[in-house]
Amino acid sequence: MAFTTRTLLLAAALPLVLAGGHEPTAADYAAWAENWDMCKYTALTWTAIVGVLLIYRSTTELLRYIRRIANLNHGTSADMKQKYFTVPHEKWAMLKTHFIVAPLFRKRHNREFKLSAAMNVGTLPGRVQTFFLVGYCVMNAVTCFMHIDFSGGKARWLSDACSRTGRNNPLIWLLGISFDSYNMIHRWIGRIVVLEAVLHGAFWMAGEVHEEGDMGWTIIAQYMASPGIIMTGTIGVCAFIAILLQSPSIIRHAFYETFLGIHIVLVIVSIVVVWMHLEGFPHQKRLLLPTILVWFIERAWRMVTLVRRNLSNGVTKAEVEALPGDAVRVTLRIANPWKFRPGQHVYMYMPSVGLWTSHPFTLAWSQEDGISNEKALPVARQDLLSTKPTSMSLIIRRRTGFTETMWQKAERSPGGKFMTTAFVEGPYGSQSFQSYGTVMLFAAGVGITHQVPHVRDLVAAYANGTCATRKVTLVWIIQSPEHLEWIRPWMTQILSMDKRRDILRILLFVTRPRSTKEIHSPSSSVQMFPGKPDVGALIDKEQEKQVGAMAISCCGTGSLSDDCRRAMRERCQETEIDFFEEAFSW
Ligand SMILES: Cc1cc2nc3c(=O)[nH]c(=O)nc-3n(C[C@H](O)[C@H](O)[C@H](O)COP(=O)(O)OP(=O)(O)OC[C@H]3O[C@@H](n4cnc5c(N)ncnc54)[C@H](O)[C@@H]3O)c2cc1C
């Protein structure tokens, strides 16, 4: 068929395009109905996944709530009652050991594969993540090729496969999953979208070549160069491939800001051209529309919260102070603050340092105005946590981009600090360990920002009798004692909190002390050691006297997380233990 005739048909009658240029037959209509069914199956599968996640999350939240309120009373007999919660459910513990918390193979999950100190090429997914990824790939393969009639001739199956791989996957809503798992899912869904877009184009081309013989490639080139469905499709596939090529871990980590800017532009280009490509496909457009709406609503919501938090009651100001050990403390006086909770992180913009870029940081501390950082606080610490703070602080480790510029600026400023305007977006996430009788908090380096709020929260709740927690052990691994300075004022406050000695033990491990004189233990509840900890031995010690269920939380290097996970998996069938992992990476 001549190119000009085909172009006219493309413009005039879409069913003909779908049918490969001929009048649609009963087989074509049946194939399109089947294709639409596949979209519905995919949507149903996602709904089921979201449903299961919702049920899982609400059940665990409910169980934790019940465990917390069942164990509020203090005293030896009350603590004995927590014995019930130390005993693990045999099958659930097996599932945690071998599936939920398990790495793919023996131990490695969060420790990154590196080509050099600066070149990170990613991490290995855990078993749950792998199960999800394989399941998702299989589901896509099945819905792309199931019920395609391969005996109906090459033209028929190429046409069917072409329309199947051109499906749009329904939106995902995932709940109660970690930041890095969410990012992993995002990346893999993206890869599959690119693969299916390429297959969609390849099947169409193969169909043309099959029908037109030697002229096929010339016709394909002519279609691609002429405005219309094929040109928009070609631009879309090129944009998808460009996204794939610019997104390997090594590039993302080395040039994050550049990667992000190009990524967003390419995604906008792809969505616009896919929308144009779907001209005349109202059903498919109806699937794409929610994606576009969700994107706009999310952007608009972020803008509104940014303005509300930072400009609605004055302007947010930040004091940036250089600290020993390549870090800065940022104290944010947020114009319209929120209720501080452990585990929250924000995205911070600081135009005088990074223009329009934003970076995620964990909130390490909150403070009401008029309360000095250095002095002891009043007895009722819970008051401090429940009222609105006026300043919130971050500890930021110097890296090579935005954080380096910020550190340099503070270092060169008089007194090692400067004031500037900042904007914070959030807060995102929050976490509570108040339903656990025993809590072990592991941190390496700047990972302490995640654990300090938990320590304060648990000690305050213990003093007020509002948690099940009876024992908290903080294990912090630092390279040199000067890193203690990062949180010194906050530790001073924590150490003077009511009943702190009854519940809190702090173990500091200094991996590169300059001399043995640097290693000294101020008291029996705050101890310092040279070298790295034996994570398993520390957990064994707590397990021997475990009260209630135990939470192990880890925020630090990938290898520390992997050590903690392994130690937890080896012990969680003896007593009830849950593992929580925070990674400052993605
Ligand atoms: C949820 C979360 C909480 C975090 N909390 C803290 C904290 O409390 N203290 C702290 O010191 N660090 C924290 N980080 C890490 C911190 O965001 C990065 O170190 C910081 O963004 C690096 O900026 P840079 O331009 O100096 O990075 P570079 O030196 O250019 O790169 C260093 C690393 O940071 C990554 N990175 C760079 N820019 C971003 C960005 N905009 N978003 C995400 N990652 C980026 C890079 O991919 C690279 O792996 C957190 C990260 C996450 C995801």
Side-chain angles (χ1 to χ4, degrees):
M1 192 181 293
F3 168 64
T4 42
T5 324
R6 287 291 292 270
T7 314
L8 280 175
L9 284 171
L10 283 173
L14 204 71
L16 298 187
V17 180
L18 286 169
H22 56 76
E23 275 299 322
T25 60
D28 288 325
Y29 285 112
W32 300 339
E34 185 95 53
N35 187 16
W36 188 241
D37 279 348
M38 293 303 151
C39 286
K40 286 194 269 182
Y41 296 150
T42 312
L44 276 176
T45 311
W46 274 113
T47 314
I49 292 172
V50 171
V52 168
L53 276 174
L54 250 177
I55 293 169
Y56 175 74
R57 193 169 176 205
S58 348
T59 313
T60 47
E61 289 295 323
L62 181 68
L63 288 176
R64 281 175 196 160
Y65 177 72
I66 294 171
R67 192 169 60 200
R68 183 166 79 88
I69 56 170
N71 293 301
L72 295 182
N73 291 337
H74 285 203
T76 321
S77 68
D79 290 358
M80 281 302 288
K81 276 199 210 140
Q82 288 218 37
K83 190 120 194 104
Y84 171 78
F85 294 97
T86 11
V87 184
H89 185 281
E90 198 185 327
K91 293 204 173 102
W92 183 240
M94 285 267 285
L95 199 65
K96 281 201 283 192
T97 311
H98 300 296
F99 186 59
I100 298 177
V101 188
L104 185 55
F105 302 115
R106 281 165 58 81
K107 179 177 158 194
R108 190 167 197 148
H109 168 53
N110 224 335
R111 189 154 65 88
E112 290 154 341
F113 290 97
K114 287 178 180 259
L115 289 184
S116 73
M119 288 198 213
N120 168 2
V121 285
T123 53
L124 203 59
R127 272 177 219 171
V128 174
Q129 293 173 334
T130 309
F131 176 77
F132 174 85
L133 289 179
V134 172
Y136 186 69
C137 292
V138 169
M139 181 181 83
N140 270 274
V142 168
T143 52
C144 281
F145 297 106
M146 192 169 78
H147 293 167
I148 285 188
D149 183 7
F150 289 98
S151 62
K154 196 171 176 187
R156 171 82 261 148
W157 77 255
L158 281 173
S159 161
D160 288 354
C162 175
S163 42
R164 286 286 182 86
T165 47
R167 280 174 305 119
N168 189 26
N169 285 308
L171 250 177
I172 55 161
W173 299 91
L174 290 163
L175 302 155
I177 51 172
S178 67
F179 188 82
D180 53 328
S181 293
Y182 179 83
N183 280 311
M184 188 212 66
I185 290 166
H186 171 92
R187 287 195 295 273
W188 276 94
I189 289 179
R191 283 165 194 156
I192 290 168
V193 167
V194 178
L195 179 70
E196 290 191 6
V198 170
L199 286 178
H200 177 59
F203 286 133
W204 173 77
M205 285 196 230
E208 289 301 307
V209 173
H210 176 69
E211 263 190 33
E212 308 291 346
D214 288 346
M215 279 298 288
W217 290 109
T218 319
I219 291 172
I220 289 168
Q222 285 169 328
Y223 276 146
M224 285 180 171
S226 316
I229 187 170
I230 302 303
M231 183 189 254
T232 50
T234 309
I235 300 172
V237 171
C238 291
F240 281 137
I241 294 174
I243 291 175
L244 187 75
L245 293 180
Q246 64 112 216
S247 64
S249 173
I250 198 161
I251 297 179
R252 286 196 322 265
H253 286 276
F255 315 100
Y256 181 76
E257 302 295 350
T258 317
F259 152 77
L260 189 65
I262 299 175
H263 187 74
I264 292 174
V265 170
L266 287 171
V267 168
I268 292 174
V269 170
S270 332
I271 289 183
V272 169
V273 292
V274 168
W275 184 264
M276 292 162 74
H277 184 69
L278 293 178
E279 202 47 55
F281 295 80
H283 284 327
Q284 281 77 355
K285 271 194 167 178
R286 243 182 276 146
L287 288 177
L288 189 56
L289 196 61
T291 314
I292 298 171
L293 280 179
V294 166
W295 193 80
F296 271 110
I297 291 169
E298 195 253 1
R299 291 275 141 174
W301 178 79
R302 280 170 62 181
M303 280 307 291
V304 170
T305 42
L306 206 63
V307 170
R308 193 166 65 89
R309 291 280 176 223
N310 302 285
L311 297 170
S312 64
N313 184 20
V315 181
T316 298
K317 288 279 170 198
E319 184 189 79
V320 184
E321 184 187 352
L323 298 173
D326 290 338
V328 291
R329 184 188 296 119
V330 177
T331 308
L332 296 159
R333 296 212 160 67
I334 298 166
N336 191 4
W338 54 87
K339 187 174 173 188
F340 176 88
R341 289 178 205 280
Q344 289 176 334
H345 70 270
V346 291
Y347 280 80
M348 185 177 72
Y349 300 75
M350 206 176 260
S352 65
V353 176
L355 217 60
W356 50 271
T357 61
S358 75
H359 291 257
F361 298 108
T362 307
L363 290 173
W365 197 255
S366 67
Q367 190 85 39
E368 278 188 316
D369 253 357
I371 298 174
S372 151
N373 266 351
E374 308 281 337
K375 288 182 187 150
L377 284 190
V379 173
R381 311 292 304 204
Q382 192 68 19
D383 296 347
L384 178 71
L385 300 178
S386 59
T387 52
K388 275 196 168 183
T390 51
S391 75
M392 297 195 197
S393 303
L394 319 167
I395 296 291
I396 299 176
R397 188 82 202 263
R398 173 189 180 191
R399 311 268 173 201
T400 58
F402 171 83
T403 54
E404 162 75 5
T405 316
M406 190 163 51
W407 185 87
Q408 293 278 359
K409 195 169 172 184
E411 186 71 4
R412 290 194 196 124
S413 302
K417 51 172 104 164
F418 68 92
M419 285 291 289
T420 187
T421 300
F423 301 94
V424 285
E425 185 198 310
Y428 296 104
S430 77
Q431 199 178 38
S432 170
F433 296 134
Q434 291 191 9
S435 76
Y436 291 89
T438 307
V439 179
M440 292 197 79
L441 305 167
F442 288 86
V446 79
I448 192 67
T449 55
H450 183 77
Q451 308 299 22
V452 166
H454 281 299
V455 175
R456 179 169 75 161
D457 178 58
L458 294 171
V459 176
Y462 176 79
N464 288 307
T466 53
C467 66
T469 314
R470 302 292 177 268
K471 295 168 86 209
V472 179
T473 308
L474 173 67
V475 182
W476 187 20
I477 302 141
I478 46 178
Q479 286 177 357
S480 107
E482 64 182 2
H483 294 174
L484 295 171
E485 193 53 35
W486 298 350
I487 58 159
R488 188 182 56 80
W490 306 332
M491 261 310 151
T492 311
Q493 290 193 29
I494 287 172
L495 293 178
S496 61
M497 284 173 78
D498 192 24
K499 301 192 181 169
R500 183 273 300 180
R501 278 175 206 283
D502 300 353
I503 176 170
L504 178 64
R505 211 157 64 94
I506 299 175
L507 308 176
L508 300 166
F509 289 84
V510 184
T511 53
R512 293 184 206 156
R514 275 169 303 207
S515 79
T516 46
K517 283 191 202 130
E518 286 186 331
I519 309 296
H520 55 89
S521 302
S523 70
S524 61
S525 55
V526 182
Q527 291 174 300
M528 215 189 235
F529 307 91
K532 287 186 178 172
D534 177 343
V535 171
L538 292 177
I539 297 177
D540 277 341
K541 215 166 167 197
E542 288 307 308
Q543 205 178 17
E544 273 168 27
K545 300 165 285 170
Q546 182 172 332
V547 179
M550 187 196 295
I552 298 178
S553 161
C554 180
C555 184
T557 58
S559 57
L560 178 67
S561 282
D562 289 350
D563 283 343
C564 289
R565 179 186 301 95
R566 174 138 110 180
M568 175 268 173
R569 289 177 58 230
E570 284 168 356
R571 291 160 179 82
C572 74
Q573 291 179 56
E574 294 157 30
T575 58
E576 178 66 21
I577 310 180
D578 285 334
F579 179 60
F580 301 86
E581 180 177 36
E582 282 303 317
F584 285 170
S585 64
W586 42 275

Short mmCIF file of all heavy atoms in Angstrom, two decimals, residues 397-425:
data_model
loop_
_atom_site.label_atom_id
_atom_site.label_comp_id
_atom_site.label_asym_id
_atom_site.label_seq_id
_atom_site.Cartn_x
_atom_site.Cartn_y
_atom_site.Cartn_z
N ARG A 397 26.12 15.79 56.96
CA ARG A 397 27.51 15.39 56.68
C ARG A 397 27.93 16.00 55.36
O ARG A 397 27.17 16.00 54.39
CB ARG A 397 27.57 13.86 56.61
CG ARG A 397 28.96 13.29 56.52
CD ARG A 397 29.55 13.22 57.89
NE ARG A 397 31.01 13.18 57.85
CZ ARG A 397 31.73 12.07 57.91
NH1 ARG A 397 31.15 10.92 58.03
NH2 ARG A 397 33.05 12.12 57.88
N ARG A 398 29.15 16.50 55.34
CA ARG A 398 29.68 17.13 54.14
C ARG A 398 29.95 16.07 53.06
O ARG A 398 30.65 15.10 53.31
CB ARG A 398 30.99 17.81 54.54
CG ARG A 398 31.80 18.39 53.47
CD ARG A 398 33.11 18.78 54.10
NE ARG A 398 34.01 19.38 53.15
CZ ARG A 398 35.29 19.62 53.39
NH1 ARG A 398 35.80 19.32 54.56
NH2 ARG A 398 36.05 20.17 52.48
N ARG A 399 29.35 16.27 51.88
CA ARG A 399 29.67 15.40 50.72
C ARG A 399 30.37 16.27 49.68
O ARG A 399 31.20 17.06 50.07
CB ARG A 399 28.40 14.76 50.15
CG ARG A 399 27.51 14.14 51.19
CD ARG A 399 27.81 12.66 51.41
NE ARG A 399 27.02 12.18 52.54
CZ ARG A 399 27.29 11.11 53.24
NH1 ARG A 399 28.34 10.38 52.96
NH2 ARG A 399 26.55 10.75 54.25
N THR A 400 29.95 16.16 48.41
CA THR A 400 30.74 16.91 47.42
C THR A 400 29.96 17.99 46.68
O THR A 400 30.52 18.75 45.93
CB THR A 400 31.32 15.94 46.37
OG1 THR A 400 30.24 15.25 45.76
CG2 THR A 400 32.29 14.96 46.97
N GLY A 401 28.63 18.05 46.86
CA GLY A 401 27.84 19.03 46.11
C GLY A 401 27.30 20.12 47.00
O GLY A 401 28.04 20.91 47.59
N PHE A 402 25.96 20.17 47.12
CA PHE A 402 25.25 21.15 47.94
C PHE A 402 25.81 21.20 49.38
O PHE A 402 26.06 22.27 49.94
CB PHE A 402 23.77 20.76 47.94
CG PHE A 402 22.89 21.49 48.89
CD1 PHE A 402 22.38 22.73 48.54
CD2 PHE A 402 22.55 20.95 50.12
CE1 PHE A 402 21.55 23.42 49.42
CE2 PHE A 402 21.74 21.62 51.00
CZ PHE A 402 21.23 22.85 50.65
N THR A 403 26.01 20.03 49.96
CA THR A 403 26.46 19.96 51.36
C THR A 403 27.89 20.51 51.51
O THR A 403 28.21 21.12 52.52
CB THR A 403 26.39 18.51 51.88
OG1 THR A 403 27.14 17.68 50.99
CG2 THR A 403 24.98 17.99 51.95
N GLU A 404 28.70 20.31 50.50
CA GLU A 404 30.07 20.83 50.52
C GLU A 404 30.03 22.36 50.47
O GLU A 404 30.70 23.04 51.25
CB GLU A 404 30.84 20.25 49.32
CG GLU A 404 32.12 20.97 48.92
CD GLU A 404 33.27 20.69 49.88
OE1 GLU A 404 33.09 19.86 50.78
OE2 GLU A 404 34.32 21.36 49.72
N THR A 405 29.19 22.92 49.56
CA THR A 405 29.09 24.38 49.44
C THR A 405 28.60 24.97 50.76
O THR A 405 29.11 25.99 51.22
CB THR A 405 28.09 24.74 48.30
OG1 THR A 405 28.35 23.90 47.19
CG2 THR A 405 28.20 26.18 47.89
N MET A 406 27.61 24.31 51.38
CA MET A 406 27.07 24.81 52.64
C MET A 406 28.14 24.79 53.73
O MET A 406 28.30 25.75 54.50
CB MET A 406 25.88 23.91 53.03
CG MET A 406 25.08 24.42 54.18
SD MET A 406 23.48 23.64 54.30
CE MET A 406 23.85 21.94 54.24
N TRP A 407 28.89 23.69 53.79
CA TRP A 407 29.94 23.56 54.81
C TRP A 407 31.02 24.64 54.60
O TRP A 407 31.44 25.29 55.54
CB TRP A 407 30.56 22.16 54.73
CG TRP A 407 31.57 21.89 55.80
CD1 TRP A 407 31.32 21.42 57.05
CD2 TRP A 407 32.98 22.10 55.71
NE1 TRP A 407 32.49 21.32 57.75
CE2 TRP A 407 33.52 21.72 56.96
CE3 TRP A 407 33.84 22.56 54.71
CZ2 TRP A 407 34.89 21.81 57.23
CZ3 TRP A 407 35.19 22.64 54.98
CH2 TRP A 407 35.70 22.26 56.23
N GLN A 408 31.43 24.82 53.34
CA GLN A 408 32.45 25.83 53.03
C GLN A 408 31.98 27.21 53.46
O GLN A 408 32.74 27.98 54.04
CB GLN A 408 32.71 25.87 51.51
CG GLN A 408 33.36 24.62 50.94
CD GLN A 408 34.87 24.63 51.13
OE1 GLN A 408 35.42 25.59 51.66
NE2 GLN A 408 35.53 23.56 50.73
N LYS A 409 30.72 27.52 53.15
CA LYS A 409 30.19 28.84 53.46
C LYS A 409 30.18 29.08 54.98
O LYS A 409 30.56 30.16 55.45
CB LYS A 409 28.77 28.97 52.88
CG LYS A 409 28.28 30.39 52.84
CD LYS A 409 27.01 30.53 52.03
CE LYS A 409 26.52 31.97 52.24
NZ LYS A 409 25.30 32.29 51.64
N ALA A 410 29.77 28.05 55.73
CA ALA A 410 29.73 28.18 57.19
C ALA A 410 31.14 28.32 57.74
O ALA A 410 31.42 29.16 58.61
CB ALA A 410 29.04 26.97 57.80
N GLU A 411 32.05 27.54 57.22
CA GLU A 411 33.44 27.53 57.69
C GLU A 411 34.09 28.91 57.49
O GLU A 411 34.85 29.37 58.33
CB GLU A 411 34.19 26.44 56.90
CG GLU A 411 35.60 26.16 57.30
CD GLU A 411 35.73 25.46 58.65
OE1 GLU A 411 34.71 25.11 59.26
OE2 GLU A 411 36.89 25.31 59.09
N ARG A 412 33.74 29.58 56.39
CA ARG A 412 34.35 30.87 56.08
C ARG A 412 33.64 32.03 56.75
O ARG A 412 34.12 33.15 56.72
CB ARG A 412 34.34 31.08 54.56
CG ARG A 412 35.30 30.16 53.86
CD ARG A 412 35.53 30.59 52.44
NE ARG A 412 36.14 29.50 51.71
CZ ARG A 412 35.67 28.97 50.60
NH1 ARG A 412 34.58 29.45 50.05
NH2 ARG A 412 36.30 27.97 50.00
N SER A 413 32.44 31.78 57.31
CA SER A 413 31.67 32.87 57.92
C SER A 413 32.22 33.19 59.31
O SER A 413 32.79 32.31 59.96
CB SER A 413 30.20 32.47 58.04
OG SER A 413 29.69 32.15 56.79
N PRO A 414 32.01 34.44 59.77
CA PRO A 414 32.49 34.79 61.12
C PRO A 414 31.84 33.88 62.17
O PRO A 414 30.63 33.65 62.11
CB PRO A 414 32.01 36.24 61.29
CG PRO A 414 31.63 36.73 59.93
CD PRO A 414 31.35 35.54 59.08
N GLY A 415 32.65 33.35 63.06
CA GLY A 415 32.14 32.46 64.11
C GLY A 415 31.75 31.09 63.60
O GLY A 415 31.14 30.30 64.32
N GLY A 416 32.06 30.82 62.33
CA GLY A 416 31.76 29.50 61.76
C GLY A 416 30.28 29.26 61.53
O GLY A 416 29.84 28.11 61.45
N LYS A 417 29.48 30.34 61.44
CA LYS A 417 28.05 30.14 61.17
C LYS A 417 27.47 31.29 60.36
O LYS A 417 28.01 32.40 60.37
CB LYS A 417 27.27 29.94 62.46
CG LYS A 417 27.49 30.96 63.55
CD LYS A 417 26.53 30.74 64.69
CE LYS A 417 27.21 30.08 65.87
NZ LYS A 417 26.45 30.19 67.11
N PHE A 418 26.40 31.01 59.66
CA PHE A 418 25.70 32.08 58.94
C PHE A 418 24.19 31.84 58.99
O PHE A 418 23.74 30.71 59.19
CB PHE A 418 26.18 32.17 57.48
CG PHE A 418 25.82 31.00 56.60
CD1 PHE A 418 24.66 30.99 55.85
CD2 PHE A 418 26.65 29.88 56.53
CE1 PHE A 418 24.31 29.91 55.03
CE2 PHE A 418 26.31 28.79 55.72
CZ PHE A 418 25.15 28.81 54.97
N MET A 419 23.46 32.95 58.80
CA MET A 419 21.99 32.85 58.76
C MET A 419 21.55 33.02 57.32
O MET A 419 22.15 33.81 56.58
CB MET A 419 21.35 34.00 59.56
CG MET A 419 21.43 33.86 61.06
SD MET A 419 20.41 32.54 61.74
CE MET A 419 18.77 33.18 61.51
N THR A 420 20.53 32.33 56.94
CA THR A 420 20.02 32.46 55.58
C THR A 420 18.55 32.08 55.53
O THR A 420 18.00 31.53 56.50
CB THR A 420 20.86 31.59 54.60
OG1 THR A 420 20.45 31.86 53.27
CG2 THR A 420 20.70 30.11 54.87
N THR A 421 17.93 32.35 54.39
CA THR A 421 16.54 31.95 54.21
C THR A 421 16.51 30.51 53.68
O THR A 421 17.33 30.15 52.84
CB THR A 421 15.86 32.88 53.18
OG1 THR A 421 15.93 34.20 53.68
CG2 THR A 421 14.40 32.50 52.95
N ALA A 422 15.61 29.73 54.20
CA ALA A 422 15.50 28.34 53.73
C ALA A 422 14.02 28.02 53.54
O ALA A 422 13.15 28.71 54.06
CB ALA A 422 16.13 27.39 54.73
N PHE A 423 13.76 26.97 52.80
CA PHE A 423 12.39 26.49 52.63
C PHE A 423 12.41 24.99 52.89
O PHE A 423 13.28 24.29 52.36
CB PHE A 423 11.89 26.75 51.20
CG PHE A 423 11.90 28.20 50.84
CD1 PHE A 423 12.99 28.74 50.18
CD2 PHE A 423 10.85 29.02 51.19
CE1 PHE A 423 13.03 30.09 49.88
CE2 PHE A 423 10.87 30.37 50.88
CZ PHE A 423 11.96 30.91 50.23
N VAL A 424 11.48 24.54 53.71
CA VAL A 424 11.44 23.09 53.94
C VAL A 424 10.12 22.53 53.47
O VAL A 424 9.07 23.14 53.62
CB VAL A 424 11.68 22.71 55.42
CG1 VAL A 424 13.11 22.85 55.81
CG2 VAL A 424 10.79 23.49 56.34
N GLU A 425 10.24 21.35 52.87
CA GLU A 425 9.05 20.68 52.36
C GLU A 425 8.87 19.40 53.16
O GLU A 425 9.81 18.64 53.33
CB GLU A 425 9.32 20.36 50.89
CG GLU A 425 8.16 19.77 50.15
CD GLU A 425 8.65 19.11 48.88
OE1 GLU A 425 9.40 19.71 48.10
OE2 GLU A 425 8.27 17.93 48.70
#
